Amino acid sequence: MSGSQKQTAASKPAQNKLWGGRFTGGLDPLMEAYNESLSLDKAFYAEDIDGSIAWARANQNARILTKEEFKEIERGLGVVRKEWETNSFEIKPGVDEDIHTANERRLGEIIGSAIAGKLHTGRSRNDQIATDLRLWVRRKLLEIKDHLDSLLKVIVSRAENEIDLLIPGYTHLQRAQPVRWSHWLLNYGSCFARDFRALQHVIEELNYCPLGCGALSGNVFGIDRRAIAQELGFKDLCLNSMDAVSDRDFLLKTMGWGSDFMMHVSRIAQDLCIYSSQEFGFVKLADAYSTGSSLMPQKKNPDALELLRGKSGTMHGLHSGFRVALNSLPSCYNKDMQEGTSAILTTIHLLSTSTQILTGVLSTLTTCPAAMARALEPSMLATELADYLVRKGVPFRETHHISGRVVALAEKEGKGMDELSVAQLQGVDQRFGDDARGCFDYEAAVERRTAEGGTARGRVMEQVEALKVLLETGKMGD
């Protein structure tokens, strides 16, 4: 007999285990460690206690518990909560399999097992963990919503205060057309505004109560699930008991939201990595979000941005991994779902810290107006020449070709388009007048983009105001 087999045969499940009565043999120690989840789900201690108090109250109202028994359970759970809060809760390895077992075991030590043993009446760990997860994720997403609110406020503030700055707008990482720096900021403000609204929906969709559904088939003691839901702040009940204990869509939606959000974070981080490089120099990152090189003293690396970019991949992996874990599971609860605990803990930490780091980066970076201005170059105004001729009635397809010939002439002459004389422009096309040189004005080019959503000052300020309305009301302005 191997050592592991001897240990297994010699030990029966501890009496504290919520499932031990039917078993005559103990767990392999490796299985004990493989199965435990307390190292992770202890994060839900407060939610587990809140759910247990609501459950005990419901059982008192159903006359399963007396008023005195409920008060003892409530008092005892208050002691347990305090121990967790003060980091004095003593975990017992091999006994405390998960947060539910640990809290109930400790409750029994405080108030006695005769009363504590009644707490779990009609309840399963299946509906218990489903409730804990929803409560915890809801609380954490509301915190992340606050962080996202702060991020959007920084973007709005900078966009409003730095509206005079112009930068090249890029497509394919090639200079395209001049835009306001504020317009670039609000590009990502729009992304994060969508994330803000989507997060509100994720929070709303998870706010349904599964407690009272038991292992899968419901409760036999006539407890009032709606009273439980109201006490715990849920807006309604999960409809079907089998679905309630096995639904992890709210975790997937949280991770899916996180994946979309981190994609946007990664993109702004990439832009800022480029803009803060010596080759561009549009912005300088604060020392608080940069590091140096162990070899090259001159280096100032945008580590915060690179980490944000890298952690987006981690977020995508968490979402995909848990989706695969749930795929093809049979109905009701299966232990595979425990993988969601690790995934959601990592997800929430990643999203919370990333949002705060990006807010810190954006609130402390320094813009470099001279470098931004130097990056503007006349060929970016080629479309202005084409539009100039359009206003004279020339079809755009023709003006596009004509403007391209002006670009080619400037390259041949080795000068900027704005250095070509009117005579040279007319040598390309006689319809260029003396006022054609007015096309080579970056501010004027930006101000001509007056359609809604454009980069003209007035339109940029409209975008600023729309985001302010979102932050004040939770909805974008009409």
Side-chain angles (χ1 to χ4, degrees):
M1 225 180 190
S2 70
S4 174
Q5 288 173 319
K6 287 177 181 177
Q7 284 181 289
T8 302
S11 60
K12 294 182 179 181
Q15 290 182 348
N16 304 71
K17 291 198 182 296
L18 303 183
W19 49 267
R22 165 261 186 270
F23 288 80
T24 57
L27 284 176
D28 183 313
L30 181 60
M31 178 57 189
E32 187 90 51
Y34 200 63
N35 185 58
E36 76 84 25
S37 62
L38 182 58
S39 57
L40 298 172
D41 58 32
K42 66 183 179 181
F44 314 144
Y45 76 85
E47 287 73 21
D48 194 70
I49 290 170
D50 289 341
S52 289
I53 291 172
W55 182 251
R57 195 187 316 277
N59 275 313
Q60 178 201 336
N61 293 336
R63 294 185 169 81
I64 302 300
L65 296 173
T66 66
K67 183 177 180 180
E68 292 71 25
E69 287 172 333
F70 168 73
K71 286 184 176 180
E72 268 297 276
I73 288 173
E74 187 176 35
R75 181 190 68 81
L77 287 173
V79 175
V80 175
R81 186 195 301 272
K82 191 68 175 177
E83 290 181 352
W84 281 113
E85 289 173 347
T86 58
N87 202 29
S88 60
F89 187 98
E90 183 182 352
I91 294 173
K92 295 192 174 180
V95 175
D96 295 340
E97 180 181 339
D98 51 38
I99 188 61
H100 324 302
T101 310
N103 282 346
E104 188 171 327
R105 184 267 306 164
R106 181 62 183 132
L107 178 65
E109 294 173 352
I110 296 168
I111 69 172
S113 59
I115 298 176
K118 294 184 177 183
L119 174 61
H120 206 60
T121 303
R123 183 174 65 168
S124 166
R125 287 186 298 176
N126 294 357
D127 60 343
Q128 197 172 355
I129 186 57
T131 305
D132 291 359
L133 281 168
R134 286 175 186 263
L135 290 172
W136 186 83
V137 173
R138 183 182 69 188
R139 175 166 63 88
K140 291 298 181 178
L141 288 184
L142 288 170
E143 292 174 6
I144 290 171
K145 184 182 174 186
D146 287 342
H147 297 325
L148 187 51
D149 181 278
S150 297
L151 173 60
L152 281 164
K153 284 177 178 174
V154 168
I155 290 174
V156 166
S157 177
R158 295 205 77 135
E160 192 169 21
N161 295 326
E162 298 172 329
I163 196 168
D164 292 330
L165 299 179
L166 303 184
I167 63 169
Y170 295 86
T171 63
H172 308 279
L173 269 182
Q174 307 296 311
R175 289 178 179 135
Q177 292 178 316
V179 296
R180 295 194 181 278
W181 161 251
S182 299
H183 200 55
W184 174 85
L185 283 168
L186 293 167
N187 159 38
Y188 287 107
S190 296
C191 292
F192 295 135
R194 288 197 301 275
D195 293 328
F196 188 89
R197 295 195 301 270
L199 181 57
Q200 290 175 315
H201 182 68
V202 171
I203 294 169
E204 181 180 344
E205 283 298 301
L206 68 78
N207 204 21
Y208 291 82
C209 182
L211 195 55
C213 289
L216 76 161
S217 62
N219 181 274
V220 301
F221 295 106
I223 55 102
D224 185 347
R225 288 189 62 212
R226 293 199 175 275
I228 294 172
Q230 184 175 8
E231 180 172 343
L232 296 176
F234 289 109
K235 73 174 183 179
D236 208 341
L237 302 178
C238 294
L239 179 64
N240 177 279
S241 62
M242 294 175 73
D243 177 60
V245 299
S246 61
D247 174 19
R248 296 298 183 269
D249 290 1
F250 65 97
L251 295 184
L252 279 180
K253 287 178 180 177
T254 298
M255 294 176 202
W257 178 86
S259 187
D260 289 345
F261 172 69
M262 287 303 295
M263 175 182 66
H264 297 147
V265 169
S266 178
R267 293 186 69 185
I268 191 172
Q270 171 70 349
D271 273 3
L272 288 172
C273 279
I274 294 169
Y275 291 172
S276 64
S277 68
Q278 292 177 332
E279 284 72 16
F280 282 70
F282 294 173
V283 298
K284 291 182 180 178
L285 301 184
D287 288 350
Y289 298 99
S290 309
T291 67
S293 165
S294 62
L295 177 65
M296 299 167 283
Q298 82 281 8
K299 293 292 293 300
K300 183 177 180 179
N301 299 325
D303 281 22
L305 298 172
E306 292 170 354
L307 286 168
L308 288 170
R309 192 175 59 195
K311 288 182 184 298
S312 69
T314 301
M315 187 65 251
H316 300 326
L318 289 166
H319 182 215
S320 298
F322 189 52
R323 180 175 290 278
V324 171
L326 294 181
N327 189 54
S328 299
L329 288 185
S331 59
C332 300
Y333 182 81
N334 296 271
K335 201 59 174 277
D336 315 51
M337 294 174 185
Q338 186 167 291
E339 293 303 297
T341 302
S342 173
I344 197 61
L345 287 169
T346 304
T347 291
I348 293 297
H349 177 73
L350 187 156
L351 294 175
S352 179
T353 54
S354 295
T355 310
Q356 293 175 78
I357 290 292
L358 180 56
T359 302
V361 169
L362 286 174
S363 63
T364 59
L365 65 79
T366 302
T367 53
C368 303
M372 291 176 171
R374 283 195 302 270
L376 299 171
E377 56 95 17
S379 68
M380 297 170 58
L381 301 172
T383 306
E384 302 305 306
L385 277 182
D387 292 341
Y388 168 88
L389 292 175
V390 166
R391 294 186 184 94
K392 289 180 173 288
V394 183
F396 177 75
R397 282 301 166 208
E398 185 179 348
T399 68
H400 184 282
H401 180 71
I402 294 168
S403 181
R405 287 168 57 197
V406 174
V407 173
L409 174 62
E411 291 177 349
K412 180 180 178 182
E413 294 288 328
K415 59 177 67 174
M417 289 174 60
D418 59 336
E419 297 176 306
L420 295 175
S421 66
V422 173
Q424 286 176 303
L425 291 175
Q426 290 175 336
V428 175
D429 193 286
Q430 285 294 323
R431 288 167 289 195
F432 284 119
D434 292 341
D435 59 346
R437 291 184 54 78
C439 294
F440 302 114
D441 183 318
Y442 300 111
E443 180 72 26
V446 166
E447 281 304 286
R448 278 190 280 268
R449 269 61 190 177
T450 57
E452 288 190 52
T455 194
R457 179 184 297 269
R459 294 309 189 182
V460 169
M461 286 307 301
E462 287 176 352
Q463 296 165 44
V464 166
E465 293 304 317
L467 290 183
K468 286 182 178 180
V469 170
L470 172 67
L471 293 171
E472 290 171 4
T473 68
K475 299 178 181 179
M476 292 290 277
D478 295 330

